[in-house]
Amino acid sequence: MDPSEAARAINAVHVGTFAEALGLEIVSASRDEVRARVTLAPGHRQPHGIVHGGVHAAVIESVASIGAAIDAMGKGKTVVGLENATSFVRAVREGTLDVVGVPVTRGSRTQLWDVAIRTPEGAVVATGRVRLLVLDPDATVGGTAIGGGG
């Protein structure tokens, strides 16, 4: 699927979800790169008026998960996050941020993705590395079938 078509499909699925609450819009998505944009809102701020680090960590995990899932779906599998290491580099208060995620490794059982969040001028706001577990279609997570039925 064309990366811009994939982005439209992903954005449609995100309506009414946490990704929409984050202000996350996927610009293009493939197994090799995910590009996104985050529109910051007042609800993203912590008491000091800067964007809460959890917003950056959630955006990083979301973008990595999308890319890893696209790769896994091509093999009839899915992914869940195992580890998220996010570093906060520059405080921001408002505006729009650009996000790019790329794979570091894609193994049969795990994937590792690097993600960077930048200002429109290119200044790094946060970086992160997310490790994801590749799951077979019949896997359960938390006692429930990963597909949600069970």
Side-chain angles (χ1 to χ4, degrees), residues 16 19 25 54 81 106 123-124 127 130:
E25 177 191 358
R106 289 184 290 223
V124 175
T127 63
V130 179

Side-chain angles (χ1 to χ4, degrees), residues 60-132:
I60 285 168
E61 182 150 347
S62 296
V63 167
S65 295
I66 289 166
I70 290 170
D71 179 72
M73 288 182 339
K75 301 169 185 139
K77 300 183 181 215
T78 191
V79 298
V80 293
L82 287 175
E83 185 175 44
N84 179 334
T86 298
S87 296
F88 312 114
V89 179
R90 177 182 311 278
V92 293
R93 296 178 181 275
E94 61 189 8
T96 302
L97 302 173
D98 299 317
V99 187
V100 177
V102 295
V104 176
T105 63
R106 289 184 290 223
S108 62
R109 299 301 304 156
T110 64
Q111 293 190 37
L112 184 64
W113 281 69
D114 274 340
V115 181
I117 301 175
R118 297 177 184 272
T119 66
E121 297 77 33
V124 175
V125 173
T127 63
R129 186 167 267 199
V130 179
R131 191 167 59 99
L132 303 107

